[in-house]
Amino acid sequence: MSRQSPIGIFDSGIGGLTVAHAIKQALPQESLVYFGDTAHLPYGDKSEAAIQAYSVRIANVLIERGCKVIVIACNSASSAAYELLKEYVRHLAHVIDVIDPMVRHVSSQFGGRKVGLIGTKRTIQSGIYTAKMERADPSIQLLPLATPLLVPMIEEGYFNNQISHDVISQYLGDPLFGAIDALILGCTHYPLIRDEINEFFRGRVQILDSTAVVAATLKTYLESAQLLSDAMPTYEFLVSDYTESFEASTRVFFHEPARLQRYPLW
């Protein structure tokens, strides 16, 4: 790998674009290759074995494109495939997930407090946030809740309207979240409805998403490994199946028309 090699990023759909955008803001000279596995979204209701299979195939694509780092911009894939991918590409690329940076951030800021967590069924049922938080700081009371309707709602473009307000209120009105100090958005799609979530809590709960902390973690790694690029960046977008919502989202996040390349995994 070289300093000018791109950063590889993948997710099941548009959610990981929130991470890609944060990386673009923090590291404007880095080239990016983004893979949206739109043919298999959402990952949140898939088995661990299926997510691992998708992740390995996507990693192969990103390695073929010479990526120096692979960012798993998906909580479900981070919980199911992070350790596998670290081993699989260990001599070829560095791997960063979205869970560990958030756990480190929360443990440094919210000791002894109640922190809510929303995510897909896969992420919540894996118990990975709870296990890692207990190791990092057992004084934090983590309160997890699966919110499976949010990803398909967002992928279909339903946010900032009455439908999204109703669904969000139904989930966040759970008594579990009655006295939390902060809420982890345990899915990279959820920053797209961050304002609505903040509005529900009327600003009394700190909303935490992984985008900025992941970008900061990546920057720290590139600096320490002396792999910061100093070239003009390029952006490449691959999808396992074409969707209009993905193309529209790339324009929103990158402020330029994006040519999607269809790259079926099978």
Side-chain angles (χ1 to χ4, degrees):
M1 70 181 76
S2 71
R3 297 165 66 95
Q4 317 311 339
S5 299
I7 307 296
I9 306 167
F10 79 90
D11 180 36
S12 63
I14 67 174
L17 290 171
T18 62
V19 177
H21 180 256
I23 291 172
K24 178 175 179 283
Q25 296 293 103
L27 296 159
Q29 290 180 289
E30 297 295 333
S31 294
L32 307 179
V33 179
Y34 185 96
F35 196 110
D37 190 11
T38 44
H40 301 111
L41 68 87
Y43 278 2
D45 60 4
K46 302 294 189 298
S47 69
E48 181 177 282
I51 295 172
Q52 289 177 342
Y54 303 150
S55 298
V56 166
R57 285 181 177 266
I58 293 168
N60 285 334
V61 174
L62 298 177
I63 291 298
E64 286 171 5
R65 279 167 167 69
C67 293
K68 60 189 175 186
V69 178
I70 294 176
V71 178
I72 308 175
C74 171
N75 282 261
S76 296
S78 291
S79 66
Y82 174 53
E83 297 298 332
L84 173 66
L85 284 194
K86 274 202 307 182
E87 181 66 21
Y88 184 67
V89 303
R90 60 181 176 168
H91 299 304
L92 302 171
H94 182 70
V95 181
I96 294 175
D97 72 328
V98 291
I99 296 175
D100 287 327
M102 177 58 75
V103 169
R104 288 193 294 269
H105 175 72
V106 172
S107 64
S108 70
Q109 300 291 323
F110 293 93
R113 299 164 76 181
K114 292 183 178 180
V115 178
L117 166 68
I118 55 174
T120 65
K121 286 181 180 178
R122 162 57 50 191
T123 298
I124 299 302
Q125 290 173 357
S126 74
I128 193 165
Y129 269 99
T130 300
K132 291 191 172 189
M133 199 70 73
E134 285 177 351
R135 288 197 293 271
D137 185 347
S139 75
I140 295 172
Q141 185 178 353
L142 190 67
L143 303 168
L145 179 71
T147 51
L149 292 180
L150 294 183
V151 169
M153 178 187 81
I154 292 166
E155 285 282 346
E156 291 298 326
Y158 288 102
F159 42 94
N160 294 319
N161 59 31
Q162 191 59 49
I163 291 174
S164 60
H165 292 340
D166 289 346
V167 174
I168 290 167
S169 296
Q170 184 69 29
Y171 281 134
L172 300 186
D174 192 292
L176 186 70
F177 293 155
I180 58 173
D181 299 296
L183 178 71
I184 299 171
L185 305 186
C187 175
T188 53
H189 283 71
Y190 297 175
L192 293 166
I193 53 171
R194 179 179 180 141
D195 289 345
E196 291 179 85
I197 292 172
N198 191 52
E199 182 181 330
F200 174 85
F201 286 114
R202 301 183 184 277
R204 67 173 179 82
V205 171
Q206 192 166 340
I207 310 303
L208 307 172
D209 74 67
S210 60
T211 56
V213 294
V214 169
T217 298
L218 172 61
K219 185 175 183 179
T220 297
Y221 167 73
L222 293 176
E223 289 172 341
S224 66
Q226 298 185 325
L227 285 173
L228 282 170
S229 173
D230 55 7
M232 287 292 291
T234 61
Y235 306 114
E236 185 177 9
F237 299 95
L238 310 176
V239 290
S240 52
D241 193 19
Y242 172 79
T243 68
E244 289 184 5
S245 64
F246 188 96
E247 184 174 42
S249 295
T250 57
R251 288 197 299 269
V252 169
F253 284 112
F254 285 81
H255 307 293
E256 60 186 56
R259 291 199 305 272
L260 303 187
Q261 300 177 51
R262 188 168 179 268
Y263 199 111
L265 294 180
W266 276 275

